[in-house]
Amino acid sequence: ISFYKKDIKLTIGVDCEFTDYPKYIDFSGEYLSNGIQYVTFQKTADRKFSFGVCWIQPCTEENDTQTWFGADPSLM
């Protein structure tokens, strides 16, 4: 999820797919108006939740995608 304010872009990335199918995954999440929220299920075994935070200033049309890669925990 990304947030923009003037020429600043902040991106928060998580190490999971946000879905409503607890049968196939260990945990999920929800997008909020001011961030994200991990959602655990009764059978969630793992209590370690990875996320990445990346920001850029000034954010331009040419560099807008850079925070997406920077906040991806699977690339760290």
Side-chain angles (χ1 to χ4, degrees), residues 6-73:
K6 298 183 182 178
D7 67 339
I8 302 170
K9 179 183 179 186
L10 170 74
T11 301
I12 304 169
V14 297
D15 193 23
C16 76
E17 293 288 331
F18 286 176
T19 180
D20 293 327
Y21 302 105
K23 179 177 173 181
Y24 302 110
I25 59 172
D26 200 28
F27 53 88
S28 187
E30 296 177 1
Y31 293 104
L32 307 174
S33 63
N34 62 349
I36 57 172
Q37 164 179 290
Y38 273 106
V39 176
T40 59
F41 307 114
Q42 192 168 9
K43 294 184 178 187
T44 301
D46 196 354
R47 295 294 179 202
K48 182 178 178 183
F49 307 104
S50 301
F51 63 94
V53 177
C54 188
W55 65 91
I56 195 165
Q57 182 185 23
C59 178
T60 65
E61 191 174 313
E62 291 80 28
N63 67 14
D64 187 63
T65 60
Q66 291 180 7
T67 60
W68 185 85
F69 292 106
D72 185 346

